Amino acid sequence: MGMEAAGRLAFHLPAVKDPHRAELFSLVLRNEPLTRADLAELASLDQSTVTRTLKPLIDSGYVTESPAAPAGRGRPRRVIRVAVEKLCAVGIKIGPHAISGVLTDLGAKVIARQETALDRPGPEEALAAVAELVGSLLDAVPGSRERALGIGVGVSGHVDPPSGTCRFSPILGWHDVDIATPSAGRPAFP
């Protein structure tokens, strides 16, 4: 999960439903560490708006603010960061010879990595292996099932994003395979 994707995911976090908070969350995630003044400048907002908008993110633990530290003359500055350990996400890549998976924190740091070898898997075999791999990744890090934000599945070929259907994958030999529904409904994922 790259930083841009993580910023888009911010809209799905409970404390970040408001688009203004989501934008600030995304800015902090992509540019941290920041002060409130830095964030106000990046967002083209005044500091009081930044303070008011950040409060629910800080209160819910999605964003942390360091204790004030002197930075020369003037008021001590607090540094704002995303609490990357609060949530995690699973990324899966279905290839012609293996299914690879990673578990990452909100900062896209890989926490766990696993791979399952499969030679030219059919859709049912591949999606069953995906479910098993997701479960294994979540079990590899204590508490990750409760903190899991979602799963991203990648396949080579033409994928229809709204439906989650792989229309055609020449490398896998798949035609019109629904990837999203089986992945979301698997018991391996909360």
Side-chain angles (χ1 to χ4, degrees), residues 108-140:
K109 177 184 170 197
V110 174
I111 302 167
R113 178 186 319 265
Q114 294 181 15
E115 186 171 294
T116 299
L118 291 174
D119 196 29
R120 307 295 287 169
E124 283 188 30
E125 180 185 16
L127 293 174
V130 165
E132 191 172 313
L133 187 57
V134 168
S136 181
L137 284 165
L138 292 172
D139 289 342

Side-chain angles (χ1 to χ4, degrees), residues 1 9 13 62 83-91 102-112 137-138 141-152 189-190:
M1 176 172 61
L9 287 175
L13 303 177
Y62 288 102
V84 294
E85 70 286 346
K86 182 154 178 89
L87 296 173
C88 58
V90 176
V102 294
L103 180 68
T104 69
D105 65 16
L106 282 180
K109 177 184 170 197
V110 174
I111 302 167
L137 284 165
L138 292 172
V141 179
S144 62
R145 282 185 184 272
E146 298 77 27
R147 297 181 304 113
L149 179 62
I151 304 170
F189 189 69

